[in-house]
Amino acid sequence: MKLWRSLKNHLLPWRGNTHRPHILRRGWLVAFLALALASEGIILGHLLVPSGPNVFLAAVVRSDVIDYTRDARTQEGGQSLSENEILNAAAQAKAEDMAARGYFSHVGPNGEEPWVWLERAGYEYVYAGENLAVRFNDSKDVVDAWMASPTHRANILKANYKEIGVGLAEGAYKGGRATFVVQYFASPAKVAAVSVVPDAPAAEPASAPTAIAPEVPAEPAVAGAETELAAPAQQPTQPEVVHAPAPQQSFMQSATRAVTQAVSDAPRGASWVLAGIAMLLITVLALTFFIRIQVQPTDLLLPGLAVALIAVTLIGANAKLLPAATQSASVVAADSGDIAGGIATERVSAFPDAPAQ
């Protein structure tokens, strides 16, 4: 009963509060105005504060993207992928380049194909593929979007791929903050070790046809037994492949992810706060005006209306300022961020006969 009476006094004009809802009094209106301005500050802060390539600000986490990709692959009956630090370095370089130059495509502004980053990192491959994503706030959402696209899904499930690497970078894209995600798949090239056996020397002709027991021929000499064949001149030597163990998510990583997720969602929460203030004040003002129309507390109605109009104005301005929160995965030569249509890029190296590790 006490709770109902308190709510009635704060929200409804009635005889018990002399038709003056407490929520329209100066203290409450000042609090609402301060909350509305603080919410707007959060929204503008996310729009105006420059963002650099700081991966720790992103809610998308490399280890999570790799783990979710492995899970998706094994659930479809495929073999698990090994994380490779060289692929991680190549993916990170590509992600940072997209963030720094503000593009989102498999091919760079100067025509750089995805394989340039693998070559610069020193990774020689038999098969390789690339998936891209931008404007995602959660690692699982990234992988789910890729799995929902036939071409990206094919890259994740392709049996030829043995290793995986992921890179993340924060930058600006289409007027707003964005997390760029690059995912590389590959099978490393490896030269097989074989034995080289020279031809046996020609036998000396018999000097006379004497009937003697034939000699047991000696074992032929083997030169360079168990040595590795030299690689073709045009094929660079494969650098040592480093397999990183699957990372275990620590408490600190979990806490960091929770905090960064909250930071990423802050503008959305602030927008809901503004909408709530506007709706609450407009509702109370309408009740105060119409329930007892002959009693009009203008000293409450006018300030309350002013605060409500401020909240509505901020909401309208944000609708124009805030970029569309469209999450997208890449397609070749498509900067629109539409996940439908197009194909994910894949390449077989120039040495298809090289055995995969």
Side-chain angles (χ1 to χ4, degrees):
M1 183 63 68
K2 288 184 178 180
L3 177 61
W4 165 243
R5 186 179 183 87
S6 178
L7 289 175
K8 191 175 180 180
N9 283 331
H10 279 80
L11 301 177
L12 298 176
W14 70 297
R15 185 176 52 197
N17 59 15
T18 64
H19 302 283
R20 300 169 66 88
H22 296 177
I23 209 169
L24 295 179
R25 294 180 179 179
R26 179 179 299 178
W28 278 99
L29 292 180
V30 170
F32 283 137
L33 181 59
L35 184 58
L37 295 177
S39 299
E40 183 64 16
I42 293 173
I43 295 172
L44 293 178
H46 274 253
L47 289 175
L48 301 179
V49 174
S51 57
N54 184 356
V55 177
F56 296 105
L57 292 179
V60 182
V61 181
R62 171 187 284 124
S63 60
D64 289 347
V65 174
I66 292 175
D67 288 343
Y68 287 129
T69 302
R70 285 169 168 163
D71 291 344
R73 186 177 168 98
T74 55
Q75 286 174 7
E76 295 291 333
Q79 293 183 345
S80 183
L81 297 165
S82 299
E83 182 180 357
N84 183 284
E85 288 299 335
I86 300 178
L87 286 181
N88 279 343
Q92 185 64 34
K94 171 67 179 286
E96 291 178 358
D97 187 70
M98 287 197 297
R101 297 202 279 173
Y103 71 95
F104 180 60
S105 174
H106 291 289
V107 180
N110 297 328
E112 304 95 337
E113 293 188 350
W115 330 118
V116 169
W117 306 101
L118 296 178
E119 293 165 4
R120 291 177 182 176
Y123 189 97
E124 182 61 40
Y125 58 91
V126 181
Y127 301 97
E130 179 186 74
N131 283 345
L132 303 179
V134 70
R135 282 185 179 171
F136 281 84
N137 295 324
D138 185 77
S139 304
K140 190 173 188 304
D141 291 341
V142 175
V143 179
D144 287 346
W146 282 334
M147 289 298 290
S149 166
T151 52
H152 299 81
R153 175 188 174 93
N155 255 356
I156 291 175
L157 301 182
K158 192 173 184 65
N160 287 336
Y161 298 144
K162 309 300 181 186
E163 297 179 340
I164 185 174
V166 171
L168 307 170
E170 282 284 305
Y173 181 67
K174 291 189 175 181
R177 289 164 54 97
T179 301
F180 293 84
V181 185
V182 178
Q183 183 180 57
Y184 275 130
F185 302 96
S187 288
K190 184 180 178 182
V191 178
V194 299
S195 297
V196 181
V197 181
D199 294 336
E204 292 291 334
S207 57
T210 55
I212 59 174
E215 294 183 3
V216 177
E219 291 292 327
V222 179
E226 303 300 323
T227 58
E228 194 174 68
L229 285 177
Q234 71 272 26
Q235 181 176 0
T237 304
Q238 168 68 9
E240 182 181 358
V241 178
V242 180
H243 296 283
Q248 297 295 324
Q249 193 174 48
S250 65
F251 171 78
M252 184 59 67
Q253 288 176 318
S254 300
T256 300
R257 180 183 176 190
V259 171
T260 52
Q261 182 70 47
V263 171
S264 299
D265 289 340
R268 183 184 305 175
S271 298
W272 279 107
V273 170
L274 281 174
I277 291 173
M279 292 178 62
L280 178 61
L281 289 178
I282 290 173
T283 301
V284 175
L285 286 169
L287 293 174
T288 303
F289 184 83
F290 289 107
I291 285 182
R292 190 73 178 232
I293 200 166
Q294 65 271 28
V295 178
Q296 299 299 322
T298 54
D299 59 323
L300 295 182
L301 292 175
L302 292 180
L305 181 61
V307 175
L309 288 177
I310 290 173
V312 171
T313 301
L314 294 177
I315 293 172
N318 292 336
K320 296 181 179 180
L321 291 175
L322 289 175
T326 303
Q327 296 179 337
S328 57
S330 80
V331 294
V332 171
D335 290 332
S336 62
D338 187 2
I339 194 172
I343 60 172
T345 304
E346 175 189 317
R347 182 192 188 194
V348 177
S349 77
F351 310 101
D353 294 332
Q357 182 172 332

